Amino acid sequence: MVAAQGENNSGAPKCLVLDDSDLPKTGRYIEKISRIWDHVSRRFILGYKLLAMGYWDGASFIPLDFSLHRERGSNADKPFGLKKKEYRKQYKKKRKNGTHSWDRAREADSTKIESALKMFWRAISQGVKVDYVLMDSWFTCEAFVRAVKRVKKQTVHLIGMYKIPKTKFNYLGDMLTHSQIRYKLGKVKRCRKLRLYYKEALVDYNGVPIKMFFSRQGTNGKWRVFITTDTELSFIRMIEIYQIRWTVEVFFKF
């Protein structure tokens, strides 16, 4: 459990935070081990991708769920980034369909989006009270937007960074990419409190109304795109809530 210093949980939003991290290993014969891409060192390492979901209750980050994943790779001569001889020697075990170990072994070859959605629904089905689901650009997708909108017994919203350049949104009757929308918004606004420049727009994402924010540091900084299903959020409040996502990074560090 990772506690935030000086945080008061009175009225604070309750959030599910999703992210993945590298889990380095040294044994090439470990079951379902693979070469994975390390975005920090910019090289392939041996290990697993650890996908984790945690709960922020306003004062503490509490890990709730996880899954381990391997990466197949694109070289047919090196399955999962390993030499064929190494891959053949990997530990393998036949498991009974429907057992927990069978689920875990199968999970390693599922996509992280599939696992993340299952984690989300497990938390919701068990009565976890959630205001927002926070994620970076890797997980922000239409499937998650629709998932939060399908929750019936409570109101759950998504806030995520968005990067897919070719996706088109309906803005004032035109189907446009987020870059085209940003150009149409005209003059940029300045948030003195956060020292950020920003623009915002209400758009339609395949039938779902969302709010889109564009943010950058300085007049020449790189634009970052955020989307949220909470169309009432102001820019400042959106950033304040999204910053809670950093708690999962602290968890990984610990």
Side-chain angles (χ1 to χ4, degrees), residues 172-202:
L172 300 179
D174 293 324
M175 298 302 294
L176 305 170
T177 64
H178 61 72
S179 295
Q180 292 170 328
I181 293 171
R182 176 166 54 83
Y183 283 120
K184 277 185 169 287
L185 291 176
K187 189 176 180 180
V188 68
K189 300 176 184 178
R190 184 185 178 192
C191 176
R192 294 182 181 274
K193 180 179 178 180
L194 300 176
R195 298 181 180 179
L196 294 171
Y197 291 88
Y198 72 98
K199 298 181 180 185
E200 60 185 73
L202 288 173

Side-chain angles (χ1 to χ4, degrees), residues 25-83:
K25 296 293 179 181
T26 56
R28 291 179 175 83
Y29 305 149
I30 299 173
E31 185 176 13
K32 292 189 180 293
I33 205 75
S34 74
R35 296 281 179 186
I36 58 173
W37 177 250
D38 182 353
H39 293 278
V40 177
S41 64
R42 308 296 296 174
R43 63 186 181 88
F44 286 99
I45 63 173
L46 190 69
Y48 297 103
K49 283 291 185 180
L50 168 65
L51 170 61
M53 182 181 73
Y55 182 64
W56 174 256
D57 65 358
S60 304
F61 180 86
I62 306 165
L64 294 184
D65 210 339
F66 79 99
S67 59
L68 298 177
H69 298 264
R70 61 178 177 175
E71 295 182 349
R72 184 170 296 277
S74 57
N75 188 343
D77 293 327
K78 289 189 174 182
F80 302 98
L82 303 171
K83 296 177 181 177

Side-chain angles (χ1 to χ4, degrees), residues 4-254:
Q5 295 181 354
E7 192 74 37
N8 186 340
N9 65 1
S10 177
K14 309 299 187 291
C15 303
L16 288 176
V17 187
L18 286 151
D19 201 6
D20 67 338
S21 184
D22 300 333
L23 197 61
K25 296 293 179 181
T26 56
R28 291 179 175 83
Y29 305 149
I30 299 173
E31 185 176 13
K32 292 189 180 293
I33 205 75
S34 74
R35 296 281 179 186
I36 58 173
W37 177 250
D38 182 353
H39 293 278
V40 177
S41 64
R42 308 296 296 174
R43 63 186 181 88
F44 286 99
I45 63 173
L46 190 69
Y48 297 103
K49 283 291 185 180
L50 168 65
L51 170 61
M53 182 181 73
Y55 182 64
W56 174 256
D57 65 358
S60 304
F61 180 86
I62 306 165
L64 294 184
D65 210 339
F66 79 99
S67 59
L68 298 177
H69 298 264
R70 61 178 177 175
E71 295 182 349
R72 184 170 296 277
S74 57
N75 188 343
D77 293 327
K78 289 189 174 182
F80 302 98
L82 303 171
K83 296 177 181 177
K84 288 184 177 180
K85 183 179 179 180
E86 294 172 335
Y87 179 63
R88 285 195 298 268
K89 286 186 176 182
Q90 265 194 5
Y91 178 79
K92 295 178 177 63
K93 180 178 179 179
K94 189 173 182 180
R95 293 179 169 86
K96 186 177 179 181
N97 191 326
T99 61
H100 292 308
S101 61
W102 181 84
D103 287 336
R104 281 297 184 194
R106 187 180 175 204
E107 198 171 59
D109 290 318
S110 66
T111 70
K112 284 178 282 187
I113 293 293
E114 290 172 339
S115 285
L117 284 165
K118 289 178 180 178
M119 290 181 190
F120 170 72
W121 285 117
R122 278 197 291 266
I124 295 300
S125 66
Q126 292 176 27
V128 177
K129 299 300 180 184
V130 180
D131 296 309
Y132 294 93
V133 182
L134 311 178
M135 57 190 64
D136 65 11
S137 58
W138 209 98
F139 295 94
T140 307
C141 61
E142 183 180 355
F144 250 114
V145 169
R146 295 199 176 279
V148 299
K149 299 298 286 186
R150 284 201 302 270
V151 178
K152 300 298 183 184
K153 294 184 178 181
Q154 56 177 312
T155 300
V156 182
H157 287 295
L158 176 145
I159 301 177
M161 193 176 287
Y162 197 83
K163 280 189 177 180
I164 303 174
K166 294 183 179 181
T167 303
K168 292 194 174 182
F169 304 85
N170 190 324
Y171 177 63
L172 300 179
D174 293 324
M175 298 302 294
L176 305 170
T177 64
H178 61 72
S179 295
Q180 292 170 328
I181 293 171
R182 176 166 54 83
Y183 283 120
K184 277 185 169 287
L185 291 176
K187 189 176 180 180
V188 68
K189 300 176 184 178
R190 184 185 178 192
C191 176
R192 294 182 181 274
K193 180 179 178 180
L194 300 176
R195 298 181 180 179
L196 294 171
Y197 291 88
Y198 72 98
K199 298 181 180 185
E200 60 185 73
L202 288 173
V203 303
D204 184 283
Y205 187 15
N206 291 332
V208 180
I210 65 171
K211 201 167 191 178
M212 182 176 287
F213 294 96
F214 304 89
S215 172
R216 72 180 181 189
Q217 289 184 322
T219 55
N220 297 314
K222 183 180 178 180
W223 286 105
R224 298 181 183 275
V225 184
F226 300 87
I227 65 172
T228 177
T229 54
D230 187 352
T231 57
E232 301 299 317
L233 271 186
S234 66
F235 173 72
I236 291 178
R237 187 59 178 153
M238 184 277 297
I239 292 294
E240 288 175 344
I241 296 172
Y242 187 74
Q243 286 175 343
I244 293 170
R245 201 195 71 81
W246 183 250
T247 56
V248 75
E249 303 289 357
V250 178
F251 165 71
F252 286 141
K253 185 68 175 177
F254 272 93

